[in-house]
Amino acid sequence: MLLTILSMIVNVAYLVILNIAFYTDRAVMPTGGIREWHRSPVARLQIADQSFLFYLQIVLAAVSIISGILLLLGVRKSIMRIIQTVSTIGATVLFVIIMIVTADSNARYV
């Protein structure tokens, strides 16, 4: 039961962290000035045209949270435990991939 609650908290934390603006982008404007933007990993994924990673993160987090709630409500099927564990591991791996991709992405200005 503790693992179920911990996985739900971790998935919510992943979604919160992905929406915190902690990246700083700078660009030289045509007037010669430098413009600075503060962006979240979600914003950088959208700029890099890879927002499907965030949607996949939402799906994995939702599956993990819903299966965790079902486990807390008394559904004691072993398949639910496996689904919850696999989706939590998948969400963690995808969170790490998103953080690596956003740290190394360059904005596409068209």
Side-chain angles (χ1 to χ4, degrees):
M1 180 156 90
L2 183 63
L3 184 62
T4 302
I5 295 171
L6 182 64
S7 71
M8 291 187 334
I9 292 171
V10 165
N11 279 304
V12 170
Y14 289 159
L15 295 176
V16 169
I17 290 171
L18 288 175
N19 286 302
I20 295 175
F22 55 84
Y23 288 119
T24 302
D25 291 337
R26 291 182 185 90
V28 178
M29 295 287 111
T31 60
I34 296 177
R35 174 119 188 240
E36 188 173 283
W37 295 272
H38 297 286
R39 294 195 169 112
S40 66
V42 173
R44 288 190 88 178
L45 282 174
Q46 289 174 348
I47 289 172
D49 198 26
Q50 296 178 343
S51 59
F52 70 93
L53 291 173
F54 180 63
Y55 297 131
L56 186 58
Q57 176 74 33
I58 290 173
V59 168
L60 286 172
V63 168
S64 177
I65 290 171
I66 290 169
S67 62
I69 290 171
L70 288 174
L71 284 171
L72 288 176
L73 291 176
V75 177
R76 292 290 176 201
K77 303 280 184 179
S78 63
I79 191 71
M80 290 304 292
R81 175 73 61 195
I82 293 170
I83 290 172
Q84 200 258 342
T85 304
V86 168
S87 62
T88 301
I89 291 171
T92 302
V93 169
L94 191 60
F95 175 76
V96 170
I97 289 171
I98 288 173
M99 295 308 286
I100 291 170
V101 166
T102 57
D104 194 37
S105 68
N106 294 320
R108 295 180 184 171
Y109 297 103
V110 186

